[in-house]
Amino acid sequence: MRTSAATQPARESGRYPAEAPEAGVTLVTAVWLAGLLVRLALMPATFHSDLYQIYSRANDAVIHGAWLSWSGQVVIQQVHNVWFLVIERLLPGNAGIWSAYSGVAGVGAQPDDLERFLSYAYLGRALVLMKLPYLLADLATGWLLTRLVAPAWRGRALALWWLNPLVIYTSMVFGRHDSLSILALVAAVMLARRGQRLPGLLLLGLGGLARFFPFFALPFYAVAYRRSWRQAVALGGLAVGIWAGVDLAVLGLTGESPTLALLGRYPHIRYLVSLSLPVGDELLPLLPLGYALLLLWWLHEPNQGTNAFLAGGAATLLLLIALMPFNPQYVIWAVPLLVPWLVVERRLILAHAAQVVLYAIWLARWGSSVTWELFQPLGKDLVERLPDPQLVAAALLPAEVWQPVVRGLFAAVTLWLAWRVLVLWQAGVPVAGAAGGGSTDHAPGDEGRAC
Amino acid sequence: MLRPMPTTTRCTGGYLKGRSHLRPAALLGLALFLAGCRAPLALVSALPPSASTITVYTSASQPFYSAYDGLRGVQLRVNVPNEFLPGQRPALTGGAVLRVTYEPHLDPRYPDRDFYAWPESEEWLGELVDGRTVGQTFLSLYPGLNGITLRVSTYGADFSPGIGRLREGEPAIVREAPIAGREVTVLPGGTEVQVGSAREGWAEVILPDGRRGYVDQGQFASLPPPARQNTGEVVLRLYRLSDGALLRESRLPASALHDQSHVTFSFEPLPDSYRQEYRFTLTAVGARPGSAVTFRFSPSDVYPEGHRLEGDAEADGDLIFRPTYAERVLVETPLDQAQWSGLTGVLEARFDPTGPTRDCYLRVTIEAGERPVVVHWSWVRPPGGLPLSSADDPGAPAGGLVLNALYADEVPLFSVLGGLARGYARLFWRDPWLSAGYALVLLSTLAWGARRLREDWTHGG
């Protein structure tokens, strides 16, 4: 943890008090209750075909034994397969509601399949059970975040995660599994700061196998929680080893490498180099450039400890969201590592609020499919009578005007947040409280102490 | 006459005034607001990329499917001149006119979808003799219903297979299909040629080299005598489905009908026929077995919005039919008064909201004025997937004009929200275990919250 002279003014000014009265139980309880009630209300009411498809593939796995047929996101699929084993018996007569095409890349669930699912007699129950792991993941992440920050900031940190519209939208309205991977990321931090770096690394690796975002935080993890540079290299090697191990295991079982499947077939890889500057007849992709610059700069700074990881990780995730064409569900990744920084500076909360508003406007780009149509369980015909936000926006302003402006503003606010996170870290603002709600941070404070 | 339209959400209901706090008037205003919002909408979210341009000397048009009501504007990507010849009037389009009309005959939702197709899956009903009544219910998708087109067979009442002779001195074009089929060859006037069956008032000819085609029956000096002569009249009656009231009647003599052809029973237009349900019946007067016509039907259900009738009883399948409509111009406006956008390169013609335009096929036509108009086209056709057409160039590109339509559509927000609330309640009503589980979780959560708060207050938190 950085303890240079530069940290003193920040702490002594009182703007970022390290010691403050613990957040009131009333506030924390109210936040827990409000967030839970909102989620419970939304769980049976909304649905996206992504949610249906992953459980249809789970049905394929459980009923037809095709456990490893989906090689693209094999880890997260296995999680759903196991959960489906549990809930399958709670859904009477569910055999006919799943899609046989969900596991066929490029085809996916057909309208008839979705109609069958939406007319299922126990639709509400099915949706609640299907989203339950995401609710629990959100809940666990919220609790971990309250343990991550100083007691004074627990209420605020919890509210910023548990009541965050981006989190609620992604996990409960859209019904995406990203929160499971986010839980792995945050849990990895908690383990690392308690000195359990290897289990943390394992969790982070698993999170990265489930969704690619945590992979970008791996270098920061390996360096921030190193005891020595040799160990950092060893941690990096171990991460690569975990990946290679899983990849080879799946390759051996199915004859297909998830890595090559991802690189060769999935658009996500292209997203990483989509934003490019023309340099003569070449293209210079901005995200790899920005990420490499951030990593190199961060490596040059005193960079051990949880605050260093939170700064590097948060900035990286914000960079990804800002400089990559993203699907609506990706934006949740901007939140988890940002929360500890949001709690210490109100300006950041305002910027994050602007981020949320711009995101809500940006959703119109995808139209009804990510807004009204998510409420199809309440009445497909009714939802179709609502105006498509994409067409409303087009009637007000040409798409070539409003879309670049909104996207540009969103990227600007997101990059500004990343920059402020790094500034706060440089100023020595202690966002991570004492580990374990009382003991010290077991992450090595400096190279000398670590060695 | 162009009048500017507001581009933001407009509500037909009242709105809250002053700082009234939940007064009845404010509540009433809110209810009206929710009940009758008009939302601005566009046909497509962005104009498609231009492939190239066509030059309109007389007219060009583009049909499209209109999903919304309240058409209030059309955007067209055109090239406008930035300098004018001496004596030329400086105007955006030189007096061009934009017209929007209904295009019901391109609507693919009625059973008679392809004029030239006679699929084998369809059959003939059998003779429509005195005392037999057949019919069909249907939903009229346009205003101005003025006829019903059906497919009729006369059992060879045009002519029998044999040898026909063309008129002297009048060469006859042989086409692959009647009326507008591709040209196969030209037969010199006076030629004798083998004829097979009749279709759409044309005779199928069998050429000496074995090729087949169609020649208009009017070009024959003589044809083999018909296999039979049909007698009497065919009567079509149109009823309103809701109350069974007889609205229109149309009669055609059976002898005037052509074998294997389309026949339209016309009547006075019904101006308010938009989205109304009707029933039509066909009966024969003076038609005995052996001198009656028949109509075509599909034994399978090809028209979900209606059903076939045999007498008063519902029967399998549907008649092959298509309603016809009186032409109605929804909008006609000079393009010179449209607004030019230098940003998007489109001309936007605005007008008062017109309609009904929901769930309809419309056609936008550009008629050139004193100078040609250069209009952009794209390989991406507007919704409906139909190609553009040009009066100047029958071989115009198979793409679509680069256009967008703007609407001010009513949003029944209040009823939709009410319906969604009922849908939400239904999820729990249908599943008592879910309701019980939710009740348990909610009670436990609230009890936990209450205990935590009591502890906090007890400890002076």
Side-chain angles (χ1 to χ4, degrees), chain B residues 366-406:
Chain B
I366 302 127
E367 275 190 7
E370 59 206 36
R371 66 163 196 266
V373 184
V374 179
V375 187
H376 287 243
W377 66 273
S378 169
W379 287 116
V380 181
R381 297 172 179 174
L386 296 164
L388 68 92
S389 59
S390 165
D392 309 309
D393 180 11
L401 293 183
V402 179
L403 65 78
N404 206 349
L406 304 174

Side-chain angles (χ1 to χ4, degrees), chain A residues 24-30 32-33 36-37 39-45 118-128 365 375 377-380 382-403, chain B residues 7-9 39-47 68 72 75 77 341 343-344 404 406-407 410-413 415-416 418-428 430-434 438 441-442 445-446 448-450 452-453 456-457 461:
Chain A
V25 171
T26 305
L27 172 67
V28 174
T29 306
W32 277 124
L33 284 176
L36 186 62
L37 290 177
R39 281 169 171 80
L40 287 174
L42 288 169
M43 281 171 88
L118 286 172
S119 57
Y120 179 49
Y122 304 97
L123 178 63
R125 189 194 305 189
L127 289 169
V128 168
R365 179 180 180 272
F375 289 87
L378 303 184
K380 189 169 180 288
L382 291 165
V383 168
E384 284 171 354
R385 288 164 66 186
L386 293 170
D388 188 326
Q390 194 181 29
L391 300 179
V392 172
L396 298 172
L397 275 175
E400 51 266 61
V401 172
W402 78 265
Q403 289 192 6
Chain B
T7 53
T8 52
T9 303
L41 279 166
L43 177 70
V44 290
S45 60
L47 287 172
Y68 307 103
R72 66 171 177 87
Q75 295 176 333
R77 183 166 284 154
S341 164
L343 175 76
T344 54
N404 206 349
L406 304 174
Y407 301 86
E410 295 275 349
V411 179
L413 201 56
S415 66
V416 168
L420 293 176
R422 284 191 295 278
Y424 193 78
R426 202 162 43 240
L427 289 174
F428 289 91
R430 289 196 308 197
D431 191 349
W433 282 106
L434 178 68
Y438 255 61
V441 170
L442 285 174
T445 307
L446 291 173
W448 170 80
R452 290 258 298 174
L453 293 178
D456 187 34
W457 292 333

Side-chain angles (χ1 to χ4, degrees), chain A residues 181-222:
Chain A
S181 191
I182 287 172
L183 174 61
L185 170 67
V186 177
V189 179
M190 296 303 290
L191 285 172
R193 69 196 299 250
R194 288 165 178 266
Q196 296 176 308
R197 289 180 293 272
L198 284 180
L201 183 70
L202 187 68
L203 261 183
L204 197 60
L206 279 173
L209 283 169
R211 299 292 291 140
F212 65 92
F213 291 90
F215 271 123
F216 290 88
L218 264 176
F220 296 95
Y221 183 92

Side-chain angles (χ1 to χ4, degrees), chain B residues 32-92:
Chain B
L32 289 170
F33 177 93
L34 293 173
C37 264
R38 276 200 163 198
L41 279 166
L43 177 70
V44 290
S45 60
L47 287 172
S50 301
S52 186
T53 56
I54 58 167
T55 304
V56 182
Y57 295 96
T58 51
S59 72
S61 66
Q62 174 66 58
F64 66 94
Y65 173 74
S66 167
Y68 307 103
D69 213 353
L71 181 72
R72 66 171 177 87
V74 173
Q75 295 176 333
L76 271 173
R77 183 166 284 154
V78 298
N79 288 352
V80 294
N82 47 22
E83 54 186 38
F84 298 89
L85 296 172
Q88 203 173 37
R89 185 169 60 91
L92 287 169

